[in-house]
């Protein structure tokens, strides 16, 4: 009882009860995510293939149909958990000032990400990296561009509490959830909680994200035996992808990513040069993640995975992103500096150099896998056609109605508590 009273008093004192985001504050969209059951099949076993880049040979898994999304043993799926996670994904009350639910940066109708170079930030800030789609993220073993979270549960927690993202505090978020009877019932049904526990909120969100899966793209149909699933141009593009264009070196396996870290030459985003809010956020992130004073004063580009272990050779490296569902997720790269997939192909064709001639601020760690390709215009068109094969139909979802607050106590109970 003391926990309930303390949280209620905290909410009253901070005025947060008045900051409720209601369902009519978010626009409805078309349909729920569904994976056609007839298209789902177990991916066949595949053997590694050998590729040669810059006179060196590499053994990599070939492209393949995507199998079922992995489910961790310590967070099994259940209908109650998924339904709870779905509502929490759309609900800003799981955050700082209730204005930044997960969906604020992962918009279903826009590829489940954010359509600008740098993602939306918490009010008064801006994010410092591009928002990634949440479709198929259940297949990653490293989350975020720098791979700093190793599970969807950990990613949800980091995003919900991150200063330039959700900026939530555990006690406030738990107290809010406890004032929503439908959530109290939902946590009880999903986890047996009598009081919503914040760690179970992250687990519910992760369970929901594992339902946002696309396994029926043309590339899946092709590898499951439909020889007509790819056009003639896409088949030419596939040959380039696996050969001259060298994409397979990193974008391999059924998930089209090796989930390893590379510096591919992406230059700093131009926005850092004239957007004061972006500059402040960037400096904050450098400071918060533990830079030396020299690094804080002089670094002009995102060090990426360097911060996961403070290893100099990791500067400028980011985890390989999957190519699945990329058709709907422009702009591209960790800082959104490439507007279209055509720009991405041109960037790689130039050997990891932007159209204005700029490249990474960390040239010492740039991958030797990135070399000028010498693609013709026809080859670029074929490669783009093949990249389309990694995306199926658009996955959209109607925003759920969000449950209302209700007082934990009657007026009489509050009066008696005061006495």
């Amino acid at each position: 009882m003391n926990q309930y009273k303390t949280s209620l008093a905290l909410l009253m004192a901070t005025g947060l009860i008045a900051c409720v985001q209601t369902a009519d504050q978010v626009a409805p969209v078309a349909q729920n995510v569904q994976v056609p059951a007839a298209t789902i099949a177990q991916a066949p076993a595949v053997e590694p293939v050998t590729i040669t880049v810059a006179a060196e040979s590499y053994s990599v898994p070939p492209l393949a149909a995507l199998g079922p999304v992995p489910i961790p043993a310590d967070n099994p799926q259940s209908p109650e958990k998924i339904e709870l996670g779905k509502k929490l994904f759309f609900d800003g009350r799981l955050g700082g000032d209730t204005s930044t639910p997960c969906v604020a940066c992962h918009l279903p109708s826009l590829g489940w990400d954010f359509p600008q170079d740098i993602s939306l930030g918490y009010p008064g800030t801006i994010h410092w990296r591009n928002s990634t789609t949440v479709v198929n993220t259940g297949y990653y073993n490293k989350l975020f561009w720098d791979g700093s979270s190793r599970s969807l549960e950990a990613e949800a927690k980091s995003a919900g509490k991150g200063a330039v993202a959700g900026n939530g505090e555990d006690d406030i978020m738990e107290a809010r959830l406890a004032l929503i009877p439908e959530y109290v019932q939902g946590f009880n049904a999903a986890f047996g909680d009598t009081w919503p526990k914040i760690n179970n909120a992250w687990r519910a969100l992760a369970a929901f994200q594992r339902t946002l899966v696309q396994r029926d793209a043309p590339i899946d149909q092709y590898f499951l035996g439909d020889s007509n699933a790819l056009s003639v141009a896409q088949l030419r593009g596939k040959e380039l992808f696996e050969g001259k264009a060298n994409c397979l070196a990193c974008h391999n396996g059924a998930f089209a990513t090796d989930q390893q870290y590379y510096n591919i030459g992406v230059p700093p985003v131009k926005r850092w040069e004239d957007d004061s809010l972006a500059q402040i956020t960037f400096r904050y992130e450098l400071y918060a993640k533990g830079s030396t004073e020299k690094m804080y004063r002089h670094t002009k580009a995102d060090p990426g995975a360097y911060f996961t272990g403070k290893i100099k050779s990791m500067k400028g490296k980011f985890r390989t992103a999957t190519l699945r569902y990329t058709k709907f997720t422009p702009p591209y790269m960790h800082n959104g500096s490439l507007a279209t997939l055509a720009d991405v192909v041109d960037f790689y064709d130039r050997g990891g150099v932007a159209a204005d001639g700029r490249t990474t601020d960390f040239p010492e760690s740039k991958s030797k896998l990135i070399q000028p390709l010498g693609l013709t215009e026809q080859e670029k068109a074929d490669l783009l056609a093949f990249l389309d094969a990694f995306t199926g139909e658009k996955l959209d979802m109607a925003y759920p109605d969000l449950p209302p607050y209700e007082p934990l106590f009657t007026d009489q109970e509050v009066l008696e508590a005061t006495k």
Side-chain angles (χ1 to χ4, degrees):
M1 182 64 77
N2 287 337
Q3 183 182 18
Y4 281 65
K5 289 178 179 177
T6 301
S7 299
L8 179 63
L10 184 59
L11 285 168
M12 289 176 170
T14 55
L16 293 173
I17 289 177
C19 299
V20 181
Q21 182 184 25
T22 59
D24 59 2
Q25 288 177 284
V26 288
V29 289
Q31 59 186 18
N32 289 322
V33 171
Q34 293 183 344
V35 180
T39 67
I40 298 176
Q42 294 288 335
V46 292
E47 296 295 328
V49 296
T50 300
I51 62 172
T52 302
V53 183
E56 291 194 25
S57 296
Y58 303 84
S59 181
V60 299
L63 297 173
L66 196 59
V69 67
I71 306 297
D74 60 354
N75 192 23
Q77 300 285 88
S78 74
E80 296 81 7
K81 197 182 297 182
I82 294 167
E83 180 62 20
L84 175 64
K86 177 181 176 180
K87 290 183 177 176
L88 293 175
F89 184 89
F90 289 86
D91 198 331
R93 290 171 289 189
L94 194 65
D97 69 351
T98 75
S99 68
T100 51
C102 303
V103 73
C105 299
H106 301 283
L107 298 153
S109 62
L110 297 174
W112 295 82
D113 74 355
F114 195 70
Q116 294 184 7
D117 50 0
I118 301 299
S119 186
L120 181 75
Y122 190 75
T125 75
I126 188 172
H127 209 279
W128 69 321
R129 289 176 180 155
N130 177 256
S131 173
T132 58
T133 181
V134 294
V135 173
N136 288 338
T137 49
Y139 293 90
Y140 277 122
N141 56 36
K142 303 181 186 71
L143 283 301
F144 294 125
W145 281 104
D146 59 5
S148 56
S149 287
R150 297 306 175 103
S151 70
L152 284 177
E153 289 79 2
E155 181 204 37
K157 179 179 179 180
S158 293
K161 300 177 66 171
V164 299
N167 199 27
E169 295 191 26
D170 289 352
D171 52 356
I172 295 292
M173 292 187 285
E174 280 191 355
R176 286 198 194 109
L177 296 173
L179 288 171
I180 304 168
E182 185 172 322
Y183 281 154
V184 174
Q185 295 168 9
F187 276 83
N188 182 261
F191 301 104
D193 293 348
T194 54
W195 171 276
K197 295 183 174 66
I198 194 65
N199 284 339
N200 283 336
W202 313 133
R203 297 173 73 202
L205 281 169
F208 169 63
Q209 283 188 245
R210 293 190 177 99
T211 68
L212 301 177
V213 171
Q214 182 169 82
R215 296 174 52 201
D216 59 349
I219 192 77
D220 297 300
Q221 305 294 349
Y222 177 79
F223 283 113
L224 290 172
D226 181 359
S227 59
N228 296 318
L230 300 184
S231 68
V232 173
Q234 286 175 321
L235 289 171
R236 289 197 302 263
K238 178 176 178 292
E239 185 175 349
L240 288 162
F241 187 98
E242 296 170 331
K244 181 178 179 180
N246 192 31
C247 311
L248 192 65
C250 306
H251 294 284
N252 49 54
F255 196 31
T257 168
D258 59 3
Q259 306 201 46
Q260 299 301 308
Y261 299 101
Y262 301 96
N263 176 353
I264 59 173
V266 177
V269 65
K270 296 288 287 183
R271 191 170 178 176
W272 298 130
E273 297 177 6
D274 53 17
D275 184 329
S276 57
L277 189 59
Q279 290 170 353
I280 291 170
T281 301
F282 178 57
R283 292 294 162 197
Y284 163 77
E285 290 290 347
L286 289 180
Y287 180 79
K289 294 183 182 302
S291 297
T292 61
E293 181 173 355
K294 179 181 179 182
M295 187 174 176
Y296 174 81
R297 299 283 182 198
H298 299 284
T299 301
K300 305 297 183 185
D302 187 341
Y306 162 79
F307 286 119
T308 60
K310 306 291 174 59
I311 302 170
K312 288 184 178 179
S313 62
M314 295 296 284
K315 285 185 177 179
K317 293 186 178 181
F318 296 87
R319 182 216 54 197
T320 307
T322 181
L323 297 178
R324 289 182 170 275
Y325 209 65
T326 50
K327 180 178 179 179
F328 299 123
T329 63
Y332 302 98
M333 303 302 177
H334 69 273
N335 55 17
S337 57
L338 300 179
T340 68
L341 285 174
D343 292 338
V344 173
V345 171
D346 285 337
F347 171 80
Y348 282 118
D349 187 48
R350 289 187 291 265
V353 178
D356 59 5
R358 295 182 308 131
T359 188
T360 174
D361 268 18
F362 307 106
E364 66 280 2
S365 64
K366 186 174 177 179
S367 174
K368 60 184 178 183
L369 293 173
I370 306 300
Q371 303 287 337
L373 300 174
L375 298 174
T376 67
E377 292 305 309
Q378 181 61 56
E379 288 172 333
K380 291 179 184 178
D382 291 340
L383 202 52
L384 282 171
F386 182 59
L387 292 178
D388 268 358
F390 288 92
T391 305
E393 295 296 319
K394 198 169 194 176
L395 303 180
D396 212 339
M397 176 176 286
Y399 284 52
D401 292 331
L402 300 181
Y405 285 122
E406 289 185 13
L408 274 176
F409 309 107
T410 65
D411 290 346
Q412 185 61 39
E413 287 173 323
V414 172
L415 287 171
E416 291 176 355
T418 301
K419 291 176 184 176

